[in-house]
Amino acid sequence: QVRLMASGGGSVQAGGSLRLSCAAHGYSFDDFCMGWFREAPGKELGGVATIAGGTTYYAVAVKGRFTISQNNAKTTLYLEMNSLKPEDSGMYYCAAGNGRNWCEAGLRSFEYYSFWGQGTQVTVSS
């Protein structure tokens, strides 16, 4: 059974850093697009960053501050978040979907993702 387990969330002050992890149990997502998504209170789910075959894509709001990466075995996804702002707060979810060529569009369209993690909460205080 394939499971994605997100972890690493917490509470930090503005300007701080956090590193999120998403462990894939039961599968290696070698030919998949994987991504991080954020759901803030009162807002729709939004794409933060995606990665496929080493190519990365970022939402404009996080570019230059966040870095998405994977381990070599493609079993763990990371999101390094620096210079955090209060508007970065929310529940962060990881997801994976088969294929690579749609990964940039996958920042805005979520129907391609087959597997979702349970979410990890990030709270940034001013």
Side-chain angles (χ1 to χ4, degrees), residues 59-109:
V60 172
V62 306
K63 202 165 187 177
R65 300 187 296 121
F66 290 12
T67 302
I68 188 171
S69 63
Q70 292 173 293
N71 66 342
N72 288 337
K74 304 295 190 293
T75 56
T76 305
L77 181 71
Y78 302 101
L79 185 67
E80 186 76 36
M81 305 187 294
N82 297 315
S83 302
L84 282 162
K85 303 176 181 179
E87 52 264 41
D88 295 322
S89 297
M91 186 68 76
Y92 282 70
Y93 298 92
C94 57
N98 199 359
R100 298 183 179 185
N101 59 354
W102 53 268
C103 206
E104 184 174 15
L107 274 173
R108 298 171 296 279
S109 300

Side-chain angles (χ1 to χ4, degrees), residues 7-59:
S7 62
S11 298
V12 296
Q13 289 191 325
S17 299
L18 283 172
R19 188 191 198 203
L20 305 184
S21 297
C22 175
H25 297 276
Y27 211 80
S28 171
F29 292 98
D30 194 20
D31 289 319
F32 278 60
C33 170
M34 297 191 75
W36 288 98
F37 304 85
R38 177 176 65 228
E39 187 173 40
K43 295 186 178 180
E44 293 184 349
L45 185 70
V48 175
T50 59
I51 184 170
T55 301
T56 57
Y57 307 95
Y58 295 95

